[in-house]
Amino acid sequence: MYDVVVGFPKMKVAVATREGRVAGIRYLPPDADPVAPQNALAERAARQLERYREDPDAKFDLPLLIEGTEFQRRLWDALCAIPRGRTLTYGEMARRLGGEARALGQACGDNKLPIVIPCHRVVAAGGIGGFAHSTDGYLIEAKRWLLMHESSADAFQLTS
């Protein structure tokens, strides 16, 4: 089902490839079994995920199979423009795109390429919000870890 499964704190990250592109990335429970890369693209994806796991500034350079509506694709482009360590609320993002917050949340949940398309950077006005159509359990813990991981690089700044 997946061409590689990489271990992360709070979750496993599974990658599926199709037609020479990454077709899907999915968060699995932390106790899911790892899967060794099944092809060259899966190996490349695993190395990039491991680099990101160690360094939140690591960039992804993977061929992606992006399938979605025009609204979803506009949203996913906008998500990629949110800098690492920063967040926007669903309402702020909806105003930028001319949509409504609920539809935006659904489109975030439908993102088939999380981490690479960083939907975790969109949060609720009063808290962390949902993640991958879930509001509790390991998926929320995964979102919390991703946000902390990305913000930790800026947590300590020395001043002279």
Side-chain angles (χ1 to χ4, degrees):
M1 182 168 195
Y2 299 110
D3 295 303
V4 67
V5 176
V6 179
F8 270 69
K10 307 296 182 184
M11 74 259 189
K12 295 280 192 326
V13 179
V15 177
T17 63
R18 188 172 81 224
E19 302 166 6
R21 295 185 281 176
V22 173
I25 298 173
R26 185 174 174 126
Y27 300 112
L28 302 177
D31 60 352
D33 291 330
V35 173
Q38 303 296 302
N39 58 53
L41 179 55
E43 174 73 30
R44 183 175 160 196
R47 298 296 78 81
Q48 290 186 28
L49 285 166
E50 290 164 349
R51 274 196 306 273
Y52 170 81
R53 184 184 62 206
E54 301 307 316
D55 176 7
D57 286 320
K59 304 291 185 227
F60 292 100
D61 179 22
L62 297 166
L64 304 174
L65 181 60
I66 299 175
E67 301 172 311
T69 66
E70 180 183 331
F71 176 75
Q72 288 171 326
R73 294 172 73 94
R74 282 185 27 238
L75 168 63
W76 298 334
D77 284 342
L79 294 174
C80 291
I82 302 171
R84 189 246 340 123
R86 305 287 185 255
T87 59
L88 288 175
T89 66
Y90 293 104
E92 289 169 326
M93 184 61 84
R95 282 188 291 282
R96 288 182 181 196
L97 294 177
E100 71 166 37
R102 176 166 270 126
L104 189 126
Q106 288 297 314
C108 282
D110 291 341
N111 176 11
K112 291 180 177 63
L113 299 163
I115 291 186
V116 175
I117 298 175
C119 54
H120 59 275
R121 295 178 186 161
V122 180
V123 297
I128 196 165
F131 194 49
H133 296 300
S134 185
T135 57
D136 61 7
Y138 80 91
L139 288 169
I140 295 301
E141 292 306 311
K143 182 175 183 173
R144 195 171 276 120
W145 183 86
L146 290 162
L147 292 170
M148 292 297 297
H149 176 61
E150 291 187 352
S151 67
S152 66
D154 295 329
F156 301 100
Q157 296 182 357
L158 298 175
T159 57
S160 51

